[in-house]
């Protein structure tokens, strides 16, 4: 994997770049749709590519490991073959999902023992087997196995947790470096910076991950309960020290405003379930603000969902989409999800153009006000 | 509406024809995907048209009347504008849905009083208001308001019910003929032949509907609990007496085999929720037989869903579809529904070609054996 930094900005840390993988290039800043169980919920692979114009999607190690199982994905020839997505894939390590399981997981030095949310069966993730699993899934970008602390963790917990994450990172790289890709294209491993909302821990974490000279670095453990201000501050702390010539990925973030503020603070890659999950519930993100399509005010609004939208679904009317969502018709969730993802991809593409033309900050400040509006 | 009978067959009642409406032509025999609440579940209008190649779809008066309500559809400019479907639409009259409500509906000479399945509110359908509602929905083909008897009804009930249906039919035509289309294209009214499984009642019903010299005729009250043999016999009784130069529509039928046997007995139009409903549950219809994709045997079958399939979704693998259906991923229901509808449309299109080339019966007999296979 290679990263070319193409353009930086004077009054912002925003950057434009290009990531090159064996499965295609990614123009940054980029948003990555989440395909938890191997499908971006409600959207055909064809439309993710041709209508939404996604350049890379996510898969979740935890979910894919439990179902369909790694054996099935290996027999398919990897996830790209399994779900017919021929562009880059990033897999998370399962660390965050295991963290989300709460009472049904137990951490030790060895790894994380957990119960399947599907059938209650017991499983163990270790830095080593999580590397192997992601090798087998066939991710272009593999994430380190880490512990993610809750937003309200105290300093001592956060510090001990970070130390565990760092020991695990060492084991991740050892395993990754002693194994080979399975499907003929190269794979790379991104470390994850933890440290909760504590500046000194974040700085120590960044210093630690840099020693591995990775192809890219992720910032984890944000958007997990801390305030938005804390999230932005920690992002700044991390990007200040991370290498300029490597992509930075802010995991699990966020709203359209969060994404623009993240780009402003030097982030290149984002993922979040919000566009699909909130879409299924009838929340639409547009360049003019947020629409709750369930609202009675849209009942007889027969204008297109989004006059400025880039997706073919934007031509359905607001009244029709409202009817579908309220009637629990699948097509409603499909339309809203597809609209939201197309909007997110439009947003990062436009941010990139503004970075290249030198207008990013003024455009960002203007957009942030509009994006927060409730229509 | 016009119907041109293009080709008949010697050893079968199968026919090929063309229906012309102001919103486009329909090559018969045809299958009509069901869009109950104004959307064919799980499939974008674009794909119904361009991928499935449907020529006409159904809407349900009962569902659309309750939600979003006729007022919303009228303000949209009719259902074609509302759901962005610019080819013909047929609406059922609500008679069958009201019949399905069981205890929460009450019939009288005036009409059917029923409770909404959504909020328990009371409503009344009459032959008159059902004509008005379908006028407002903007259906190209409007169905008469009738009573549908259960498959095990006794003779006396069936006879009294038929008489009510016939009195209602008179009122339907009176109302229909004294009202105008609302959106600038013409609409037509199809009577429905009832009479349960009693030959004399069916013959009387056919004689009655013919007096209205309609543009087309429907056969209702089949596939509601009677045996398959009875269904075929009653279909034959009806098509023997219905006018040759008008299309015949067998309502709510059925499996791929039912459709071929219906065509063989002189039916031109079909609709059924089976391809979408069974698809959502993981049942696939193919030219080689029936696949229950939940079956363990497909777990590692990485071949395309249907090698002979006409839809782009047929290129997903069986193993991937199985994973999606078992994981309750929306995309699984979408793929299976789209495959099944594309298959149904392929089936009637091929039947039409075989009728035109004179090979229908031998092809039908061969297909019927294959279509019943469990793969």
């Amino acid at each position: 994997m290679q990263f070319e930094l193409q353009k930086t900005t004077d009054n912002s840390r925003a950057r434009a770049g290009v990531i090159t993988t064996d499965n295609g290039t990614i123009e940054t800043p980029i948003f990555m749709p989440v395909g938890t169980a191997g499908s971006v919920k409600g959207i055909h692979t064809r439309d993710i590519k041709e209508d939404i114009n996604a350049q890379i999607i996510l898969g979740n190690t935890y979910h894919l490991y439990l179902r369909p199982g790694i054996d099935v994905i290996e027999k398919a020839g990897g996830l790209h073959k399994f779900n017919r997505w021929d562009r880059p894939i990033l897999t998370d390590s399962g660390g965050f999902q295991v963290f989300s399981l709460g009472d049904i997981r137990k951490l030790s030095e060895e790894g994380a023992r957990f119960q399947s949310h599907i059938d209650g069966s017991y499983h163990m993730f270790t830095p080593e087997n999580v590397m192997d699993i992601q090798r087998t899934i066939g991710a272009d970008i593999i994430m380190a196995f880490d512990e993610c602390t809750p937003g309200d963790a105290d300093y001592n917990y956060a510090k001990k947790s970070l130390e565990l994450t760092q020991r695990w990172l060492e084991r991740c790289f050892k395993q990754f470096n002693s194994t080979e890709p399975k499907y003929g294209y190269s794979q790379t491993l991104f470390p994850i910076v933890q440290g909760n909302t504590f500046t000194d821990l974040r700085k120590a974490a960044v210093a630690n991950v840099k020693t591995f000279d990775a192809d890219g670095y992720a910032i984890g453990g944000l958007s997990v309960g801390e305030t938005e201000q804390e999230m932005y501050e920690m992002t700044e702390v991390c990007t200040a020290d991370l290498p300029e010539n490597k992509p930075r990925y802010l995991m699990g973030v966020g709203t359209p405003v969060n994404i623009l503020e993240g780009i402003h603070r030097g982030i290149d890659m984002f993922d979040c379930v919000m566009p699909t999950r909130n879409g299924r519930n009838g929340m639409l993100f547009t360049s003019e603000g947020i629409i709750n399509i369930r609202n009675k005010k849209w009942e007889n609004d027969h204008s297109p969902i989004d006059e400025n939208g880039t997706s073919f679904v934007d031509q359905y009317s607001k009244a029709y989409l409202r009817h579908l969502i309220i009637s629990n018709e699948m097509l409603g969730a499909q339309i809203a999800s597809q609209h939201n993802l197309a909007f997110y991809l439009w947003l990062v593409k436009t941010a990139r153009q503004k970075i290249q033309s030198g207008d990013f900050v003024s455009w960002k400040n203007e957009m942030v006000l509009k994006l927060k509006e409730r229509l």
Side-chain angles (χ1 to χ4, degrees), chain A:
Chain A
M1 200 200 91
Q2 288 180 315
F3 178 65
E4 182 198 343
L5 187 61
Q6 297 176 307
K7 178 86 176 149
T8 55
T9 38
D10 290 337
N11 51 353
S12 164
R13 289 195 193 145
R15 321 113 54 85
V18 182
I19 296 170
T20 305
T21 77
D22 286 352
N23 281 311
T25 59
I26 303 156
E27 298 188 324
T28 62
I30 193 68
F31 179 81
M32 306 180 280
V34 179
T36 306
S39 101
V40 176
K41 289 187 196 305
I43 310 181
H44 285 288
T45 311
R46 180 193 67 175
D47 289 341
I48 301 166
K49 189 168 167 178
E50 295 173 14
D51 186 68
I52 291 168
N53 297 311
Q55 299 179 47
I56 171 171
I57 63 172
L58 243 75
N60 281 102
T61 291
Y62 168 84
H63 289 91
L64 293 168
Y65 161 81
L66 290 178
R67 204 164 51 188
I70 296 309
D71 172 64
V72 171
I73 293 176
E74 181 161 24
K75 288 198 173 118
L79 184 56
H80 293 84
K81 291 280 195 316
F82 192 54
N83 68 7
R84 296 182 60 75
W85 175 254
D86 60 7
R87 293 180 179 176
I89 293 176
L90 180 150
T91 43
D92 80 347
S93 65
F96 181 76
Q97 267 76 28
V98 167
F99 150 80
S100 307
L101 290 174
D103 286 349
I104 58 170
R105 62 109 171 85
K106 194 170 173 188
L107 296 195
S108 65
E109 187 63 35
E110 174 64 7
R113 184 170 157 83
F114 62 94
Q115 272 188 278
S116 159
H117 72 286
I118 299 167
D119 63 6
S121 56
Y122 286 92
H123 302 268
M124 181 87 184
F125 274 169
T126 66
E128 289 79 14
N129 74 7
V130 164
M131 292 304 100
D132 295 346
I133 292 167
Q134 292 181 85
R135 283 275 196 212
T136 304
I137 291 173
D140 298 272
I141 301 174
I142 286 173
M143 299 306 300
F145 188 62
D146 62 339
E147 186 190 1
C148 178
T149 53
D152 61 355
D154 66 24
Y155 184 85
N156 282 337
Y157 173 25
K159 186 163 185 290
K160 284 189 67 170
S161 169
L162 175 60
E163 287 161 3
L164 180 66
T165 288
Q166 289 175 340
R167 291 192 298 275
W168 283 359
L169 181 60
E170 196 119 4
R171 289 165 56 191
C172 285
F173 268 101
K174 193 171 167 205
Q175 183 71 11
F176 179 80
N177 288 330
S178 65
T179 51
E180 293 290 325
K182 295 199 169 181
Y183 310 112
Y185 53 83
S186 61
Q187 300 177 295
T188 191
L189 170 59
F190 280 18
I192 302 173
V193 174
Q194 290 288 349
N196 206 273
T197 53
F198 304 104
T199 301
D200 66 322
L201 296 183
R202 287 282 173 184
K203 287 182 92 68
V206 170
N208 175 260
V209 297
K210 283 163 73 174
T211 64
F212 293 92
D213 193 25
D215 287 335
Y217 298 90
I219 302 170
L222 292 178
S223 200
V224 290
E226 80 288 359
T227 66
E228 212 162 64
Q229 199 47 48
E230 287 173 317
M231 175 172 79
Y232 294 147
E233 280 172 23
M234 289 303 110
T235 303
E236 279 173 24
V237 165
C238 295
T239 58
D241 288 356
L242 283 167
E244 273 289 308
N245 62 340
K246 297 293 172 69
R248 297 96 170 245
Y249 162 30
L250 180 55
M251 302 182 80
V253 175
T255 65
V257 170
N258 293 159
I259 285 174
L260 294 190
E261 295 294 357
I263 292 171
H264 181 52
R265 287 162 176 82
I267 299 296
D268 308 296
M269 302 164 73
F270 301 87
D271 79 286
C272 192
V273 294
M274 191 174 273
T276 40
R277 182 175 293 166
N278 292 26
R280 291 197 296 280
N281 291 321
M283 182 186 277
L284 303 180
F285 300 101
T286 80
S287 56
E288 302 297 316
I290 294 166
I291 292 175
N292 177 356
I293 203 72
R294 293 176 170 272
N295 197 308
K296 180 87 174 167
K297 75 183 283 193
W298 309 114
E299 185 177 30
N300 265 304
D301 188 326
H302 298 283
S303 67
I305 292 168
D306 186 354
E307 301 272 6
N308 307 315
T310 62
S311 169
F312 80 85
V313 303
D314 291 313
Q315 297 309 312
Y316 289 107
S317 73
K318 297 184 184 81
Y320 182 58
L321 178 58
R322 178 178 188 272
H323 160 64
L324 296 176
I325 292 274
I326 284 188
S327 305
N328 290 318
E329 285 285 316
M330 284 171 65
L331 188 60
Q334 294 169 232
I335 292 171
S337 299
Q338 192 155 333
H339 160 80
N340 279 348
L341 282 178
F343 173 69
Y344 268 62
L345 268 295
W346 171 86
L347 189 70
V348 292
K349 184 182 178 185
T350 306
R352 181 179 157 85
Q353 288 164 353
K354 297 296 178 181
I355 293 165
Q356 285 174 319
S357 61
D359 308 326
F360 175 73
V361 175
S362 59
W363 173 79
K364 187 268 290 180
N365 290 338
E366 214 175 279
M367 283 303 289
V368 159
L369 294 178
K370 285 208 278 184
L371 292 169
K372 286 177 177 166
E373 292 272 333
R374 294 269 166 177
L375 300 180

